[in-house]
Amino acid sequence: MMNLPNKLTILRIIMIPICLALWALGQPLGAAIVFALAAITDFLDGYIARKQKIVTVFGKFADPVADKVLVLTAMIFLCADGRLPAWAVSLVAARELMVDGLRLVSAGKGNVIAAGWLGKIKTNLQFFCVLSAMLLPAAHWLTLTLAVLMSIMTVLSGVDYFWAARDVFKEDKP
């Protein structure tokens, strides 16, 4: 039987197309509510998994993937509607791909790169930036400010991951 944190992760994945459908149907408040609920499941699944000591391999994989798919698909929709700057969305997408690649290479060498607090701050800024873009008029100063802060934290957390995994870049010993 699947544990509660993993069920919450699956629920978050199910909420992604619902959020996007509401946005596409011109229901920004509904989309924002579903997005906010999905973001809350991200907090809850991690909290419950750590508190109850039920961290699973599925959760370690699916939780960050669900977060990235949720954030990036919403950002792409918002960018297409002129509500988020393309440079910010591109930066987030590039960082996520680079860090995922780094994690894959690191895992192949038997190392696990744990999520750091900078990454958690970055994720929360992404959530708030998306919600701001959904709820406020296009090019609102708050959304743009959050986009800049999110971008700075995106770069800093990416650098932090690469610094933490710098041994991955050493040549393998024969």
Side-chain angles (χ1 to χ4, degrees), residues 8-169:
L8 289 170
T9 297
I10 289 172
L11 177 62
R12 184 163 62 260
I13 292 167
I14 292 168
M15 293 170 99
I16 295 167
I18 296 168
C19 174
L20 299 178
L22 288 168
W23 184 263
L25 292 170
Q27 300 296 321
L29 181 59
I33 290 169
V34 171
F35 184 88
L37 291 172
I40 290 168
T41 68
D42 177 45
F43 167 77
L44 287 175
D45 67 10
Y47 175 78
I48 294 167
R50 285 186 298 278
K51 187 165 177 79
Q52 296 183 358
K53 295 179 175 52
I54 48 175
V55 176
T56 64
V57 173
F58 173 80
K60 286 181 187 178
F61 167 76
D63 179 63
V65 169
D67 295 344
K68 290 168 184 165
V69 174
L70 172 66
V71 167
L72 286 171
T73 54
M75 285 184 170
I76 290 166
F77 266 59
L78 292 165
C79 182
D81 283 351
R83 294 177 163 272
L84 275 180
W87 58 264
V89 177
S90 298
L91 184 68
V92 169
R95 182 261 188 215
E96 300 302 351
L97 288 170
M98 289 170 35
V99 168
D100 283 352
L102 176 67
R103 282 184 153 164
L104 191 62
V105 169
S106 185
K109 293 187 173 195
N111 302 321
V112 175
I113 304 172
W117 63 274
L118 290 176
K120 293 183 187 310
I121 294 170
K122 178 248 346 158
T123 299
N124 284 303
L125 280 169
Q126 289 175 346
F127 288 154
F128 287 120
C129 185
V130 167
L131 284 171
S132 177
M134 286 180 165
L135 294 171
L136 297 174
H140 192 277
W141 67 268
L142 180 59
T143 303
L144 295 175
T145 301
L146 287 169
V148 169
L149 292 173
M150 171 194 74
S151 297
I152 291 168
M153 204 45 120
T154 294
V155 171
L156 290 176
S157 66
V159 168
D160 187 51
Y161 273 103
F162 275 84
W163 179 254
R166 62 192 177 279
D167 290 345
V168 167
F169 298 102

